Coordinates of all heavy atoms in Angstrom, one line a residue:
H1158 N -22.0 0.5 -8.7 CA -22.0 1.9 -9.3 C -21.2 2.9 -8.4 O -21.3 4.1 -8.6 CB -23.4 2.4 -9.5 CG -24.2 1.5 -10.4 ND1 -23.9 1.3 -11.7 CD2 -25.3 0.7 -10.1 CE1 -24.8 0.4 -12.2 NE2 -25.6 0.0 -11.2
K1159 N -20.3 2.4 -7.5 CA -19.5 3.2 -6.7 C -18.1 3.3 -7.3 O -17.7 2.4 -8.1 CB -19.4 2.7 -5.3 CG -20.7 2.8 -4.5 CD -20.5 2.3 -3.1 CE -21.8 2.4 -2.3 NZ -21.6 1.9 -0.9
A1160 N -17.4 4.4 -7.0 CA -16.0 4.5 -7.6 C -15.1 3.4 -7.1 O -15.2 2.9 -6.0 CB -15.5 5.9 -7.2
R1161 N -14.2 3.0 -8.0 CA -13.2 2.0 -7.7 C -11.9 2.7 -7.3 O -11.7 3.8 -7.6 CB -13.0 1.1 -9.0 CG -14.1 0.3 -9.5 CD -13.8 -0.4 -10.8 NE -14.8 -1.2 -11.3 CZ -14.7 -1.9 -12.4 NH1 -13.7 -1.7 -13.2 NH2 -15.7 -2.7 -12.8
P1162 N -11.0 1.9 -6.7 CA -9.7 2.4 -6.5 C -8.9 2.4 -7.9 O -9.3 1.6 -8.8 CB -9.0 1.5 -5.5 CG -9.8 0.2 -5.7 CD -11.2 0.6 -6.1
I1163 N -7.9 3.2 -8.0 CA -7.1 3.1 -9.3 C -6.5 1.7 -9.4 O -6.3 1.0 -8.4 CB -6.0 4.2 -9.3 CG1 -5.0 4.0 -8.2 CG2 -6.6 5.6 -9.3 CD1 -3.8 4.9 -8.3
T1164 N -6.2 1.4 -10.6 CA -5.6 0.0 -10.9 C -4.1 0.1 -10.6 O -3.5 1.1 -10.5 CB -5.8 -0.4 -12.3 OG1 -5.1 0.6 -13.2 CG2 -7.2 -0.4 -12.7
R1165 N -3.5 -1.1 -10.5 CA -2.1 -1.3 -10.3 C -1.3 -0.7 -11.5 O -0.3 0.0 -11.3 CB -1.8 -2.7 -10.1 CG -0.3 -3.1 -9.7 CD -0.3 -4.6 -9.4 NE 1.1 -5.0 -9.0 CZ 2.0 -5.5 -9.9 NH1 1.6 -5.6 -11.2 NH2 3.2 -5.8 -9.5
Q1166 N -1.9 -0.8 -12.7 CA -1.3 -0.3 -13.9 C -1.3 1.2 -13.9 O -0.3 1.8 -14.3 CB -2.1 -0.8 -15.1 CG -1.5 -0.3 -16.5 CD -0.1 -0.8 -16.7 OE1 0.1 -2.0 -16.5 NE2 0.7 0.1 -17.2
R1167 N -2.3 1.8 -13.4 CA -2.4 3.3 -13.3 C -1.3 3.8 -12.4 O -0.6 4.8 -12.7 CB -3.7 3.8 -12.8 CG -3.9 5.3 -12.7 CD -3.6 6.0 -13.9 NE -3.7 7.5 -13.7 CZ -3.0 8.4 -14.4 NH1 -2.1 8.0 -15.3 NH2 -3.1 9.7 -14.1
C1168 N -1.1 3.1 -11.2 CA -0.1 3.5 -10.3 C 1.3 3.4 -10.9 O 2.2 4.2 -10.8 CB -0.2 2.7 -9.0 SG 0.7 3.4 -7.6
Y1169 N 1.5 2.3 -11.7 CA 2.7 2.0 -12.4 C 3.0 3.2 -13.4 O 4.1 3.7 -13.5 CB 2.6 0.7 -13.1 CG 3.7 0.4 -14.1 CD1 4.9 -0.3 -13.7 CD2 3.6 0.7 -15.5 CE1 5.9 -0.6 -14.6 CE2 4.6 0.5 -16.4 CZ 5.8 -0.2 -15.9 OH 6.8 -0.5 -16.8
D1170 N 2.0 3.6 -14.1 CA 2.1 4.7 -15.1 C 2.6 6.0 -14.4 O 3.4 6.7 -14.9 CB 0.8 4.9 -15.9 CG 0.5 3.7 -16.8 OD1 1.4 2.9 -17.1 OD2 -0.7 3.6 -17.2
I1171 N 1.9 6.3 -13.3 CA 2.3 7.5 -12.6 C 3.7 7.5 -12.1 O 4.4 8.5 -12.3 CB 1.3 7.7 -11.4 CG1 -0.1 8.0 -11.9 CG2 1.8 8.8 -10.5 CD1 -1.2 8.0 -10.8
M1172 N 4.1 6.4 -11.6 CA 5.5 6.3 -11.1 C 6.5 6.4 -12.2 O 7.6 7.0 -12.0 CB 5.7 4.9 -10.3 CG 4.9 4.9 -9.0 SD 4.5 3.2 -8.4 CE 6.1 2.4 -8.6
N1173 N 6.2 5.9 -13.3 CA 7.1 6.0 -14.5 C 7.2 7.4 -15.0 O 8.3 7.8 -15.5 CB 6.7 5.0 -15.6 CG 7.3 3.6 -15.4 OD1 8.4 3.4 -15.9 ND2 6.7 2.8 -14.7
I1174 N 6.1 8.1 -15.0 CA 6.1 9.5 -15.4 C 7.0 10.3 -14.5 O 7.9 11.1 -14.9 CB 4.7 10.1 -15.4 CG1 3.8 9.5 -16.5 CG2 4.8 11.7 -15.6 CD1 2.4 9.8 -16.4
I1175 N 6.8 10.1 -13.2 CA 7.7 10.8 -12.2 C 9.1 10.5 -12.4 O 10.0 11.3 -12.4 CB 7.2 10.5 -10.7 CG1 5.8 11.0 -10.5 CG2 8.2 11.0 -9.7 CD1 5.2 10.5 -9.1
A1176 N 9.4 9.2 -12.5 CA 10.8 8.7 -12.7 C 11.5 9.3 -13.9 O 12.6 9.7 -13.9 CB 10.8 7.2 -12.7
K1177 N 10.7 9.3 -15.0 CA 11.3 9.9 -16.3 C 11.6 11.4 -16.1 O 12.7 11.8 -16.5 CB 10.3 9.7 -17.4 CG 10.8 10.2 -18.8 CD 9.8 9.9 -19.9 CE 10.3 10.3 -21.2 NZ 9.3 10.0 -22.3
K1178 N 10.7 12.1 -15.4 CA 11.0 13.6 -15.2 C 12.1 13.8 -14.3 O 12.8 14.8 -14.3 CB 9.7 14.2 -14.7 CG 8.6 14.3 -15.8 CD 7.4 15.1 -15.2 CE 6.3 15.3 -16.3 NZ 5.2 16.1 -15.8
A1179 N 12.3 12.8 -13.3 CA 13.4 13.0 -12.4 C 14.8 12.5 -12.9 O 15.8 12.6 -12.2 CB 13.1 12.2 -11.1
G1180 N 14.7 12.0 -14.2 CA 16.0 11.5 -14.8 C 16.5 10.2 -14.4 O 17.6 9.8 -14.5
I1181 N 15.5 9.4 -13.8 CA 15.9 8.0 -13.4 C 16.0 7.1 -14.6 O 15.0 7.0 -15.4 CB 14.9 7.5 -12.4 CG1 14.9 8.3 -11.1 CG2 15.2 6.0 -12.0 CD1 13.8 8.0 -10.1
E1182 N 17.1 6.4 -14.8 CA 17.3 5.6 -16.0 C 17.0 4.1 -15.7 O 16.7 3.4 -16.6 CB 18.7 5.8 -16.5 CG 19.0 7.2 -17.1 CD 20.4 7.4 -17.6 OE1 21.2 6.4 -17.5 OE2 20.6 8.4 -18.2
E1183 N 17.1 3.7 -14.4 CA 16.9 2.3 -14.1 C 15.4 2.0 -14.2 O 14.5 2.9 -14.2 CB 17.3 2.1 -12.6 CG 18.8 2.1 -12.5 CD 19.3 1.7 -11.1 OE1 18.7 2.3 -10.1 OE2 20.1 0.8 -10.9
R1184 N 15.1 0.7 -14.4 CA 13.7 0.3 -14.6 C 12.9 0.6 -13.4 O 13.3 0.3 -12.2 CB 13.7 -1.2 -14.9 CG 12.4 -1.7 -15.3 CD 12.5 -3.1 -16.0 NE 11.2 -3.6 -16.4 CZ 11.1 -4.6 -17.2 NH1 12.1 -5.3 -17.6 NH2 9.9 -5.0 -17.6
I1185 N 11.7 1.1 -13.6 CA 10.8 1.4 -12.5 C 9.6 0.5 -12.7 O 9.1 0.2 -13.8 CB 10.3 2.9 -12.6 CG1 11.4 3.8 -12.4 CG2 9.2 3.2 -11.6 CD1 12.1 3.8 -11.1
G1186 N 9.1 -0.1 -11.5 CA 8.0 -1.0 -11.6 C 7.2 -0.8 -10.3 O 7.4 0.1 -9.5
C1187 N 6.2 -1.6 -10.1 CA 5.3 -1.5 -9.0 C 5.9 -1.8 -7.7 O 5.5 -1.4 -6.6 CB 4.0 -2.4 -9.2 SG 2.9 -1.7 -10.4
H1188 N 7.1 -2.5 -7.7 CA 7.8 -2.8 -6.5 C 8.9 -1.7 -6.2 O 9.6 -1.8 -5.1 CB 8.5 -4.1 -6.6 CG 7.6 -5.3 -6.3 ND1 7.5 -5.9 -5.0 CD2 6.6 -5.9 -7.0 CE1 6.6 -6.9 -5.1 NE2 6.1 -6.9 -6.2
T1189 N 9.0 -0.7 -7.0 CA 10.0 0.4 -6.8 C 9.9 1.0 -5.4 O 10.9 1.2 -4.7 CB 10.0 1.4 -7.9 OG1 10.3 0.8 -9.1 CG2 10.9 2.5 -7.6
L1190 N 8.7 1.4 -5.0 CA 8.5 2.1 -3.8 C 8.8 1.2 -2.6 O 9.4 1.6 -1.6 CB 7.1 2.7 -3.7 CG 6.7 3.7 -4.7 CD1 5.2 4.2 -4.5 CD2 7.6 4.9 -4.7
R1191 N 8.3 0.0 -2.6 CA 8.5 -1.0 -1.6 C 10.0 -1.3 -1.4 O 10.6 -1.4 -0.3 CB 7.7 -2.2 -1.9 CG 7.8 -3.3 -0.8 CD 6.7 -4.4 -1.2 NE 7.1 -5.7 -0.7 CZ 6.7 -6.2 0.5 NH1 6.1 -5.4 1.4 NH2 7.0 -7.4 0.8
K1192 N 10.7 -1.5 -2.6 CA 12.1 -1.7 -2.5 C 12.9 -0.5 -2.0 O 13.9 -0.7 -1.3 CB 12.6 -2.1 -3.9 CG 12.3 -3.5 -4.4 CD 13.0 -3.9 -5.7 CE 12.8 -5.3 -6.0 NZ 13.7 -5.8 -7.1
T1193 N 12.5 0.7 -2.4 CA 13.1 1.9 -1.9 C 13.0 2.0 -0.4 O 13.9 2.4 0.3 CB 12.5 3.1 -2.6 OG1 12.7 3.0 -4.1 CG2 13.2 4.4 -2.2
F1194 N 11.8 1.8 0.1 CA 11.6 1.7 1.6 C 12.6 0.8 2.2 O 13.3 1.1 3.2 CB 10.1 1.3 1.9 CG 10.0 0.9 3.3 CD1 9.8 1.8 4.3 CD2 10.2 -0.5 3.7 CE1 9.7 1.4 5.7 CE2 10.1 -0.9 5.0 CZ 9.8 0.0 6.0
G1195 N 12.6 -0.4 1.7 CA 13.5 -1.5 2.3 C 15.0 -1.1 2.2 O 15.7 -1.2 3.2
Y1196 N 15.4 -0.5 1.1 CA 16.8 -0.1 1.0 C 17.2 1.0 2.0 O 18.2 0.8 2.7 CB 17.0 0.4 -0.5 CG 18.5 0.9 -0.7 CD1 19.5 0.0 -1.0 CD2 18.8 2.3 -0.6 CE1 20.8 0.5 -1.2 CE2 20.1 2.7 -0.7 CZ 21.1 1.8 -1.0 OH 22.3 2.3 -1.2
H1197 N 16.4 2.0 2.1 CA 16.7 3.1 3.0 C 16.5 2.7 4.5 O 17.2 3.2 5.4 CB 15.9 4.3 2.7 CG 16.4 4.9 1.4 ND1 17.6 5.6 1.3 CD2 15.9 4.9 0.1 CE1 17.8 6.0 0.1 NE2 16.8 5.6 -0.7
Y1198 N 15.6 1.8 4.8 CA 15.4 1.2 6.1 C 16.7 0.5 6.5 O 17.2 0.7 7.6 CB 14.2 0.3 6.2 CG 14.0 -0.3 7.5 CD1 13.0 0.2 8.4 CD2 14.7 -1.5 8.0 CE1 12.8 -0.3 9.7 CE2 14.5 -2.0 9.2 CZ 13.5 -1.4 10.1 OH 13.3 -2.0 11.3
Y1199 N 17.2 -0.3 5.6 CA 18.4 -1.1 5.9 C 19.6 -0.1 6.0 O 20.5 -0.3 6.9 CB 18.7 -2.1 4.8 CG 20.0 -2.9 5.0 CD1 20.1 -3.8 6.0 CD2 21.1 -2.6 4.2 CE1 21.2 -4.6 6.1 CE2 22.2 -3.3 4.4 CZ 22.3 -4.3 5.3 OH 23.5 -5.0 5.5
Q1200 N 19.7 0.9 5.2 CA 20.9 1.8 5.2 C 20.8 2.6 6.5 O 21.9 3.0 7.1 CB 20.8 2.8 4.0 CG 21.1 2.1 2.7 CD 22.4 1.4 2.6 OE1 23.4 1.9 3.1 NE2 22.5 0.3 2.0

Side-chain angles (χ1 to χ4, degrees):
H1158 304 293
K1159 294 182 179 180
R1161 297 174 175 176
I1163 61 171
T1164 63
R1165 188 170 179 268
Q1166 180 63 44
R1167 176 58 180 150
C1168 197
Y1169 171 90
D1170 292 341
I1171 291 170
M1172 288 157 50
N1173 271 270
I1174 293 170
I1175 293 173
K1177 185 176 180 180
K1178 290 184 176 182
I1181 297 173
E1182 296 181 353
E1183 291 185 308
R1184 187 165 184 170
I1185 297 297
C1187 285
H1188 277 261
T1189 295
L1190 298 179
R1191 182 169 153 90
K1192 285 190 173 190
T1193 300
F1194 162 86
Y1196 177 83
H1197 289 285
Y1198 181 96
Y1199 178 73
Q1200 294 299 323

